[in-house]
Amino acid sequence: MALRTLVLLALVCAQFAPSTQAMTPIDLRCDGNTDPIAASPTPILTWRVESAERGTQQSAWQVIVASTPELLSQGKGDLWDSGKVTAKRSPQVLYAGKPLPAGQRCHWQVRCWGTDAKSDGNENDEASWSKPAFWENSLHSPSDWRGAQWIDDGKALPTNDAGFYEHDPAPRMRYEFSLKKPIVSARLHVAGLGYFAASLNGAHVGDHELDSVWTAFDKRILFSSFDVTDQLQSGDNCIGVELGNGWFNPLPLRMWGHRNIRGSIETGRPRAIACLIVDHEDGTQSTITTGPDWKFTPGPTLFNSVYLGEVVDARLDQPGWNTPNFDSADWKPVQPVDASLELLQPLTTPPIRAAESIDAVAITQPEPGIQIVDFGQNFTGVPEITLNAPAGTEVQFRFGELLYPDGTLNPMTSVCGQIKGNRKLADGTLISKGGPGAPEFAWQADRYTCRGGGPETYRPKFTFHGFRFMEVTGLPQSADSSPLSLADMKGIPLRSDLLSNGEFSCSNELFNSIQEVTRQTFLANVVGVQSDCPHRERFGYGGDIAATSEAFLMNFDMSGFYAKTVRDWDDAARPDGNLTDTAPFVGINYCGVGWAMAHPLLIEQLYQHYGDESLVEDQLPVAIRWLELENSARKKGLVTKGLGDHEALTRSGGPVITTAMFVDAARRVARLARVVGRDSDADRFETMADDAAEAWADSFLDIPSGKVDDGSQTRQSLALGFGTATNANRQAIFDQMVSAIQTPTKISKAGTNKPAGPHLTTGIFGTRMVMEELSKNSRTDLAYELADRDTFPSWGWMLKNDATTLWEHWAGSDGTFSNNHPMFGSVSAWFFRWLGGIQISPDAVGADRLVICPQTVPDLDWVKCSHKTVRGLVESNWKATSDSIDLDIVIPPDTTAVVEFPIASNSVTESGQPLDDANGIEILNPGRRIQIGSGHYQFKISKSN
């Protein structure tokens, strides 16, 4: 009886107690990073909140920023106190306090007030502060570099192309200095063109690889900042910098026989700039900067190229060169370079880092003296190899994605720019297709000359490769044993350090494998830019990005990476405003709208996913200028130039596609204009889109049948996906698309057989649109059938043929097409958006509005799907039985979601209660559609009505 009384009393108290929300701000970030030491002068601050209550929403917030931890602990924001500010939809807050000098450490906290869904909008009176966080203001003007100068080795670049292929040792630079006062903290700010590796007192600084990250170096140079407090010592110290060519001094390779990227990018002799600032206990500072008093010497890396690899002679190494008291009498003074410091900006995109190493799985010997190392998967990075050979032994390494039938290396799918063989000049002379001095075959290779005297480890420093197999030659041979063992080597993946924010798995193991291979492909193609492939070209093609960006965004935190990509496109814009095919620009400019549209597409996606309104403000003029240029070139209302549905198996180009792309881009730029209040511009762009769509329909659409041009999957799906189809004709166009899938046109690619059954004939855009439009129009059963194939053409066909990364072409290739291409990876977005059902709503700002719409098919028993937004974790997990579907959903705070159940049902419960009685649920369409706020929901949907 006493227990029952206590329970009743508790229920009464709960009923009449004040409605409150325990809302705790967490995950405080500055410019997207946790406690950064190189923030921008007016950084963007973000946080998210945690709460176990349903319907949690921030109604207001307060940020205080203090110059010391003591002031912060007293609640005194001497740098900024925002006061209580009404929350807006964007989660981003722009610092609006006192101007911050370079190096200023800012300590900050935030507290939030919430509006409880059960409390009629009454705000809580009390709010708890977050845990403290900090940022340090970066160097942001030339004067902040305190007199630092760019320095190089003073050598001139070769006067002819052939000279670039001769040995040209990577310079090592050093400077000794003494620190007499106790050290409190120290920051090293450094940039190198093309690549740098910095060290202090013999130890490598930081964990970055292939710094500085590739940008248009005539527009923007990203420097890195490191906390080096623990690497300095009282007394003598030494700073060292080693330089590689990177993207600043590439070879004059004639890619495809004619394209020399040196003619389109900023180039020069490798150079460095550094500023080391040391804080002492007495409040003073010591500053060490690059200048004419530094010394250099040629290092043991005799040759380095991002495409062709490295040549290293370890016998030329000078142990201790970057430590104090090293004898550098023979070293020469560096040469100061008269180059601007205005272009230097702090690195805010994720740096390139080494990921978890990969163990080799097999070593074979197809021929005497040739060993093939199989790492078991295609990846991007370098090998790390332990050798034990006599001094002077030259070991050669070549890399490839495939093997020939006889077990020897096939490097041909990864040859730079298809430079394969020679061509004959008019006088009969044979020269490489790659131009004067270029090798006959521009494959990836490294050469290492051993120093001898015991085991030594080689790991390339200023290059990277895309490969699964490594050929090793030149090692001493023995009659009864292999000179290499699996324990001697490992693969080191190199990639921009993207945080994973999405997981998908299901009862279909083929789909799980496709998802894993897609993620592996994505991670192999983010070495500073989102590349088409990690070997043959390595360029940031816009079409590849436009086809896969949503899939990337659902799998990884792309906020910093894609913000850089947008600015890369701005930097690459031509003087007339044209946006080019790649960013950084490398001279390729023929693909047109479908590639340039990556710029406004990413701006909108970054706004929808992360709420980045400042990027919209900054970059909208760039998108508008490009759109108006494209509009001025239309003929009879149509966009007549540009590449279409790349790598489709049927005819895939022409104005029927490029005009549809233009319509999509124009409407997107109109939406972006409305975000920043430019409504008149938005009206103008919508009129542009409508006019182009009308011209498109007049030229290509048979209205009675819904057939677009020749009726291919590509044409039908892009009419739907890019929005040239009107509401009146969408159904007919969709029906024609379904017909084209069920009875595909004859595949026109040479060397392939006509497959049986419904299958894709689309390229990179059409594939994304077909899968999306099928599910959007309740034909996920057919989309599932397309994805579940293991015969040509399909993702399963790739896996069935030993693919560990996605192919460039449905048919695969052993000599032309890359075997590591992300552009068909849009299937991963389909997994998240339609099987898992997690979608960022088109009108979302920082993922504050979601659509949860999982679709079930008979052959799929369960799905587990999650995605971490800037608001927190979203989950949509379901399990189907013969009589019901269990749907488990988690929505983070500051988020609402429209939930569309997989089936209509008269019997739906949440946590065992009828929907009408469940807390925090608004019924929009009984048994089919509801709206919910944050919280954990467990639905049971009965299949029997």
Side-chain angles (χ1 to χ4, degrees):
M1 179 65 73
L3 177 60
R4 182 182 177 189
T5 302
L6 287 173
V7 170
L8 289 172
L9 179 61
L11 289 172
V12 170
C13 291
Q15 182 176 355
F16 293 101
S19 179
T20 62
Q21 291 179 310
M23 185 180 294
T24 306
I26 61 171
D27 196 18
L28 277 63
R29 297 191 183 197
C30 173
D31 286 341
N33 298 301
T34 302
D35 297 340
I37 62 170
S40 56
T42 53
I44 292 173
L45 308 178
T46 60
W47 60 88
R48 57 187 179 90
V49 297
E50 277 190 340
S51 173
E53 301 287 337
R54 286 188 176 181
T56 300
Q57 290 276 352
Q58 293 182 72
S59 63
W61 52 265
Q62 181 183 10
V63 170
I64 59 171
V65 184
S67 57
T68 67
E70 292 75 22
L71 287 172
L72 188 72
S73 67
Q74 298 168 19
K76 297 179 180 178
D78 62 319
L79 297 177
W80 185 39
D81 185 339
S82 69
K84 189 175 182 179
V85 179
T86 300
K88 298 181 179 180
R89 290 185 63 191
S90 174
Q92 298 190 343
V93 172
L94 190 67
Y95 171 79
K98 294 179 181 178
L100 302 174
Q104 170 75 59
R105 175 170 277 216
C106 303
H107 305 268
W108 68 293
Q109 284 179 297
V110 60
R111 61 176 173 174
C112 306
W113 290 265
T115 299
D116 195 320
K118 300 177 294 184
S119 64
D120 298 323
N122 294 322
E123 292 182 353
N124 306 321
D125 293 326
E126 298 298 327
S128 300
W129 289 101
S130 68
K131 292 181 179 180
F134 74 86
W135 81 82
E136 291 181 14
N137 197 28
S138 183
L139 314 184
H140 52 80
S141 70
S143 62
D144 293 336
W145 286 82
R146 305 188 183 193
Q149 297 173 274
W150 286 101
I151 56 174
D152 68 16
D153 60 9
K155 296 182 181 179
L157 292 173
T159 57
N160 59 77
D161 286 353
F164 283 91
Y165 297 90
E166 297 175 1
H167 284 182
D168 181 15
R172 285 177 167 175
M173 300 172 173
R174 70 188 308 273
Y175 180 75
E176 289 196 34
F177 57 96
S178 182
L179 297 173
K180 302 187 183 304
K181 299 179 180 180
I183 301 164
V184 173
S185 67
R187 304 289 183 260
L188 175 64
H189 309 281
V190 56
L193 300 179
Y195 294 142
F196 75 85
S199 56
L200 271 170
N201 297 327
H204 187 74
V205 169
D207 59 358
H208 297 189
E209 305 275 352
L210 304 176
D211 256 351
S212 292
V213 173
W214 188 20
T215 55
F217 295 134
D218 60 333
K219 301 287 181 63
R220 197 162 42 109
I221 300 169
L222 304 181
F223 67 87
S224 295
S225 299
F226 302 100
D227 181 347
V228 294
T229 307
D230 294 338
Q231 289 185 253
L232 292 174
Q233 59 193 18
S234 296
D236 294 337
N237 293 267
C238 181
I239 182 171
V241 176
E242 193 169 6
L243 293 175
N245 290 316
W247 294 102
F248 188 60
N249 191 29
L251 296 170
L253 290 158
R254 301 304 196 270
M255 302 175 76
W256 308 284
H258 64 91
R259 176 75 61 195
N260 178 5
I261 67 171
R262 290 186 68 88
S264 302
I265 65 176
E266 182 78 2
T267 61
R269 194 74 192 156
R271 66 181 67 150
I273 188 169
C275 179
L276 173 63
I277 300 173
V278 183
D279 291 316
H280 299 293
E281 281 185 351
D282 62 1
T284 61
Q285 291 183 328
S286 297
T287 302
I288 293 87
T289 59
T290 45
D293 46 355
W294 283 52
K295 291 183 174 182
F296 88 93
T297 196
T301 302
L302 305 179
F303 173 91
N304 67 96
S305 160
V306 289
Y307 288 111
L308 301 189
E310 286 187 352
V311 177
V312 174
D313 189 340
R315 297 171 300 177
L316 302 178
D317 192 18
Q318 299 184 50
W321 70 273
N322 50 3
T323 60
N325 303 312
F326 172 81
D327 184 3
S328 61
D330 294 335
W331 290 41
K332 299 178 180 178
V334 299
Q335 176 68 49
V337 180
D338 184 16
S340 174
L341 277 63
E342 295 282 354
L343 306 179
L344 289 163
Q345 297 181 18
L347 178 73
T348 55
T349 188
I352 299 166
R353 289 190 171 103
E356 184 178 353
S357 62
I358 299 171
D359 292 331
V361 298
I363 299 175
T364 58
Q365 190 163 335
E367 296 178 10
I370 296 177
Q371 295 183 88
I372 301 293
V373 181
D374 181 2
F375 287 95
Q377 65 183 67
N378 212 353
F379 72 102
T380 299
V382 292
E384 185 173 283
I385 310 146
T386 299
L387 303 167
N388 192 351
T393 301
E394 184 179 277
V395 187
Q396 297 88 34
F397 308 94
R398 285 196 309 156
F399 304 88
E401 300 179 306
L402 302 170
L403 298 178
Y404 287 118
D406 65 359
T408 58
L409 183 75
N410 176 0
M412 303 307 283
T413 61
S414 57
V415 167
C416 172
Q418 304 291 1
I419 299 172
K420 303 170 183 176
N422 296 320
R423 61 185 178 90
K424 185 179 293 187
L425 300 179
D427 62 1
T429 303
L430 289 177
I431 68 166
S432 167
K433 292 179 180 179
E440 182 178 357
F441 293 92
W443 46 48
Q444 309 169 99
D446 298 320
R447 297 206 313 269
Y448 180 80
T449 301
C450 299
R451 69 169 181 268
E456 54 193 290
T457 300
Y458 171 55
R459 173 173 163 178
K461 186 180 296 183
F462 295 130
T463 191
F464 61 97
H465 308 300
F467 66 106
R468 172 178 172 174
F469 300 99
M470 177 176 70
E471 175 194 86
V472 184
T473 58
L475 282 171
Q477 299 294 298
S478 60
D480 56 354
S481 67
S482 168
L484 285 178
S485 70
L486 293 176
D488 292 331
M489 64 199 69
K490 54 187 175 181
I492 309 296
L494 301 178
R495 59 194 183 220
S496 294
D497 193 12
L498 304 179
L499 296 177
S500 178
N501 69 359
E503 293 184 4
F504 172 87
S505 61
C506 66
S507 59
N508 185 319
E509 284 303 321
L510 174 60
F511 286 8
N512 295 336
S513 296
I514 293 171
Q515 168 68 2
E516 180 182 354
V517 164
T518 300
R519 283 176 59 98
Q520 172 67 17
T521 310
F522 287 176
L523 290 173
N525 282 278
V526 284
V527 184
V529 301
Q530 183 180 327
S531 58
D532 60 325
C533 58
H535 34 58
R536 192 185 69 211
E537 298 180 48
R538 313 176 189 220
F539 300 147
Y541 279 98
D544 303 56
I545 294 171
T548 59
S549 56
E550 188 66 20
F552 269 90
L553 285 158
M554 294 305 293
N555 280 282
F556 304 104
D557 179 353
M558 302 299 293
S559 54
F561 187 93
Y562 271 165
K564 173 193 177 286
T565 303
V566 168
R567 293 186 174 97
D568 284 344
W569 241 268
D570 179 7
D571 291 342
R574 299 296 86 198
D576 62 357
N578 188 37
L579 296 177
T580 64
D581 302 349
T582 72
F585 179 60
V586 291
I588 303 171
N589 194 15
Y590 69 92
C591 297
V593 176
W595 274 246
M597 68 190 292
H599 177 266
L601 171 63
L602 290 183
I603 297 172
E604 184 175 48
Q605 289 175 320
L606 289 167
Y607 182 67
Q608 292 167 335
H609 282 257
Y610 307 109
D612 198 341
E613 187 173 343
S614 63
L615 191 69
V616 181
E617 291 269 11
D618 180 56
Q619 290 295 315
L620 181 60
V622 179
I624 289 175
R625 192 170 180 225
W626 163 73
L627 184 69
E628 291 176 332
L629 182 70
E630 285 289 349
N631 185 59
S632 68
R634 286 195 291 143
K635 297 178 180 179
K636 297 182 179 179
L638 302 175
V639 176
T640 59
K641 295 182 180 180
L643 200 59
D645 194 19
H646 188 48
E647 297 304 348
L649 299 175
T650 59
R651 191 165 64 93
S652 62
V656 62
I657 293 176
T658 50
T659 304
M661 292 170 168
F662 174 83
V663 169
D664 179 77
R667 288 181 177 150
R668 177 167 287 108
V669 175
R671 292 192 296 270
L672 291 171
R674 294 202 189 282
V675 167
V676 295
R678 297 178 61 166
D679 290 344
S680 61
D681 284 329
D683 293 341
R684 184 162 54 91
F685 303 143
E686 286 169 355
T687 300
M688 260 185 217
D690 292 343
D691 179 73
E694 184 176 345
W696 174 92
D698 290 343
S699 300
F700 305 113
L701 176 63
D702 181 67
I703 293 177
S705 68
K707 187 175 182 179
V708 178
D709 197 40
D710 65 5
S712 69
Q713 295 176 19
T714 285
R715 280 153 170 71
Q716 301 299 132
S717 65
L718 298 190
L720 296 165
F722 285 140
T724 49
T726 65
N727 290 336
N729 55 42
R730 283 189 67 86
Q731 187 61 51
I733 293 174
F734 176 77
D735 291 342
Q736 284 284 347
M737 184 187 80
V738 171
S739 178
I741 294 167
Q742 293 174 329
T743 56
T745 56
K746 183 179 180 180
I747 291 177
S748 60
K749 290 289 183 181
T752 59
N753 297 319
K754 181 174 174 58
H759 60 270
L760 292 164
T761 62
T762 45
I764 62 176
F765 294 106
T767 296
R768 175 168 69 92
M769 296 305 186
V770 161
M771 301 295 286
E772 181 78 9
E773 292 300 324
L774 285 173
S775 290
K776 188 184 294 184
N777 290 275
S778 302
R779 287 304 310 270
T780 293
D781 61 318
L782 184 52
Y784 184 93
E785 187 176 353
L786 295 175
D788 198 36
R789 293 170 57 92
D790 67 357
T791 55
F792 169 78
S794 67
W795 295 279
W797 171 251
M798 298 182 193
L799 272 61
K800 191 175 181 180
N801 286 271
D802 204 29
T804 61
T805 47
L806 299 178
W807 295 345
E808 180 181 8
H809 190 279
W810 289 116
S813 173
D814 63 1
T816 301
F817 295 107
S818 158
N819 283 245
N820 193 343
H821 241 73
M823 61 191 190
F824 281 111
S826 58
V827 65
S828 180
W830 179 76
F831 291 154
F832 280 93
R833 288 172 57 80
W834 295 106
L835 297 187
I838 298 176
Q839 299 184 15
I840 308 299
S841 179
D843 64 348
V845 179
D848 65 338
R849 295 175 183 171
L850 306 175
V851 176
I852 306 296
C853 55
Q855 298 196 3
T856 59
V857 293
D859 291 339
L860 203 59
D861 297 328
W862 58 266
V863 164
K864 292 183 179 180
C865 186
S866 66
H867 173 67
K868 186 177 180 182
T869 74
V870 290
R871 315 282 180 171
L873 186 66
V874 181
E875 291 188 69
S876 175
N877 306 320
W878 59 263
K879 182 178 181 180
T881 64
S882 59
D883 57 2
S884 66
I885 300 170
D886 292 330
L887 176 58
D888 195 85
I889 296 174
V890 175
I891 304 298
D894 290 325
T895 308
T896 60
V898 171
V899 179
E900 297 182 6
F901 297 128
I903 59 173
S905 175
N906 292 328
S907 178
V908 181
T909 61
E910 194 283 310
S911 297
Q913 293 182 309
L915 287 186
D916 288 337
D917 299 331
N919 172 40
I921 295 176
E922 179 184 356
I923 298 175
L924 304 177
N925 184 354
R928 191 62 196 253
R929 197 162 178 259
I930 62 173
Q931 181 167 300
I932 58 178
S934 67
H936 184 190
Y937 302 82
Q938 295 173 304
F939 300 99
K940 183 175 285 290
I941 307 159
S942 174
K943 290 183 177 180
S944 60
N945 290 312

